[in-house]
Amino acid sequence: MSNLIILPIIFPFIIGAVLVFFAKKSRAQRIISGVSVLAMVGLTAYLAIMAYQQDTVILEAGDWAAPYGITLVLDNLAALMLLITSILGAACLFFAFGTISEKRERYYFYPFYFFLLVGVNGSFLTGDIFNLFVFFEVMLLSSYVLIVNGGTKYQLRESFKYVILNIFGSALFVMAVAWIYSITGTLNFAHLSERVAQLEQPGILTVVGVMFFIVFAAKGALFPLYFWLPRSYFGPPAALAALFGGLLTKVGIYAIIRVFTLIFYHEPLFTHKGLIVTVAGFTMLFGVLGAVSQYDFKRILSYHIISQVGYMVMGLGIFTPLAVAGAIYYIVHHMFVKTALFLLAGATEKITGTTNIKEMGGLIKSHPVLTWSFFIAAISLAGIPPLSGFFSKFPIILGGFQEGQWVISAVALLVGLLTLLSMMKIFGYVFWGENKLTDRQYSTSVTNLLIPIAPLVAFSVILGLAAEPIFTYSLHIAEQILEPSNYVDAVLKE
């Protein structure tokens, strides 16, 4: 059964290759991609169950044993990320069916959509750090094509910054990989964990760890490397902005969690409680201040991506099972809610023709389902009980207070308040304010767009109402990854 874990990589690659031959046939592309993405949801759900039952599933490519061969590893954290990725991929794809123009479709939108999923899924499953670089590049190359799809001047200008930063990050990634290989003689995650533990992480390895952190921080939009995100995510269509906002930055955060719980965990006072916590605090604060200052729907949401990833790395930096479990819970919550909010912004833009909230108003009367869907997602993002945002933030902040991290915990509470303020600003201008809709806009139906959004909003409610079992599962994952021997023994069969 371990052979199944390669399917989240192979299957979307094959579908993407097939879709290339149907590039000029929009209807065929939609049918093939729609059926395929639903099949991926079923596949990853099965893999998540398999990982929960077995804890860690290993696939050694070509039957070459680790650390000499290519290894894929499916533990509970990877399985959870795969499942959420497929759900978000399905929601954004079906939203794209109603919003992407035929012109954009013909420029290989669907093939590169699936190639992007290849890179993301591979990043979650890979068992060595060089292949993590390879899958990052697959993901990034696909995102380059998708982010300029349509070729507007704004997209081309802002995506240029996105490309340049990621090229710099990729070069630094290769240097860090070469450096750690020269020190340890291996690139397999489990073997690296074993070798670094034997060396007791001297200063040079801490420097290498910081290099990896910088690389992943750029991918995850952490302070001070977040400047590219708000304008880059503003340009693409809503379906892509939602997929990027909900998913791509989390690949960087996943990599930070994986590397700093499995390899570089021997100097936590510097790496975790020093560097990571400090970066998390500035990320949260600057991100939310950017959101509060904006009056554009998509830009506010883009800045909130920055502030919210700060909570995730804050949980890692506190480095206790409670806080790390909260960080995992928060990643799940944020991926659903942020994707839903971007798609809701796209539905609103479909009605009004703009994303400037000052030019909108009164949608609550004409589009009540859209309005209250946004309201639920917005207060969940802000952390209002009993929704998922509250129950995922609570263990992170509680863990901070328990560990004496008073400053970062206070910042987290302030950021939650400012998040609520900015979300209510959107609600006040766009939905509750004076009616500024024309007769045509008033009667515009977006029911077909709300269908793929509804499950995401529902998940936010379910994640809150079922907080106890969800947190228990998150705590199980946290305890598993905070004990590196679980991963090492499974991969190296010790």
Side-chain angles (χ1 to χ4, degrees), residues 179-468:
W179 199 355
I180 198 168
Y181 182 76
S182 70
I183 297 169
T184 63
T186 186
L187 295 174
N188 181 276
F189 277 136
H191 207 206
L192 277 171
S193 179
E194 196 174 60
R195 290 284 177 88
V196 171
Q198 291 170 353
L199 294 170
E200 297 182 349
Q201 193 175 329
I204 190 171
L205 278 172
T206 300
V207 173
V208 177
V210 172
M211 285 182 67
F212 279 115
F213 180 76
I214 293 171
V215 171
F216 302 142
K219 314 292 186 187
L222 297 178
F223 175 88
L225 302 172
Y226 62 81
F227 59 88
W228 57 270
L229 187 148
R231 297 182 68 86
S232 295
Y233 284 13
F234 177 79
L240 285 179
L243 186 69
F244 288 3
L247 183 58
L248 291 196
T249 52
K250 311 313 175 297
V251 181
I253 301 304
Y254 168 87
I256 291 173
I257 292 174
R258 181 66 76 191
V259 167
F260 283 88
T261 56
L262 183 61
I263 302 172
F264 303 108
Y265 61 90
H266 302 278
E267 295 290 341
L269 288 179
F270 174 75
T271 55
H272 295 69
K273 300 179 186 296
L275 174 65
I276 294 177
V277 165
T278 302
V279 169
F282 281 112
T283 302
M284 285 190 287
L285 189 59
F286 280 87
V288 80
L289 290 177
V292 170
S293 67
Q294 296 295 315
Y295 284 88
D296 183 277
F297 205 150
K298 288 173 69 175
R299 283 205 174 101
I300 292 173
L301 297 180
S302 296
Y303 274 103
H304 275 308
I305 296 172
I306 299 164
S307 67
Q308 304 301 307
V309 295
Y311 283 100
M312 303 168 200
V313 291
M314 173 186 169
L316 174 65
I318 294 169
F319 210 52
T320 63
L322 177 66
V324 174
I328 294 166
Y329 196 162
Y330 197 87
I331 290 172
V332 176
H333 143 79
H334 188 265
M335 291 175 79
F336 284 125
V337 171
K338 182 56 67 175
T339 304
L341 285 168
F342 266 104
L343 295 181
L344 289 164
T348 305
E349 185 180 7
K350 183 82 172 179
I351 298 167
T352 62
T354 182
T355 56
N356 187 333
I357 63 174
K358 291 184 177 181
E359 297 176 8
M360 306 182 202
L363 269 72
I364 191 171
K365 296 177 182 178
S366 59
H367 299 83
V369 176
L370 173 64
T371 299
W372 295 114
S373 296
F374 171 82
F375 183 78
I376 293 170
I379 63 174
S380 179
L381 187 74
I384 303 299
L387 299 174
S388 57
F390 173 80
F391 290 108
S392 55
K393 284 181 182 178
F394 181 74
I396 298 173
I397 297 172
L398 179 61
F401 282 125
Q402 289 178 345
E403 291 298 300
Q405 296 279 3
W406 308 106
V407 175
I408 188 70
S409 300
V411 169
L413 291 172
L414 174 62
V415 169
L417 180 62
L418 293 176
T419 301
L420 178 61
L421 175 65
S422 60
M423 288 292 101
M424 289 304 99
K425 180 171 71 174
I426 295 176
F427 189 80
Y429 273 99
V430 177
F431 300 100
W432 193 262
E434 176 189 353
N435 184 14
K436 298 180 181 179
L437 302 178
T438 64
D439 292 340
R440 185 191 61 79
Q441 292 171 338
Y442 193 93
S443 59
T444 299
S445 174
V446 290
T447 302
N448 63 319
L449 302 183
L450 293 177
I451 293 173
I453 300 174
L456 304 181
V457 177
F459 274 124
S460 176
V461 177
I462 293 168
L463 288 171
L465 297 180
E468 184 175 358

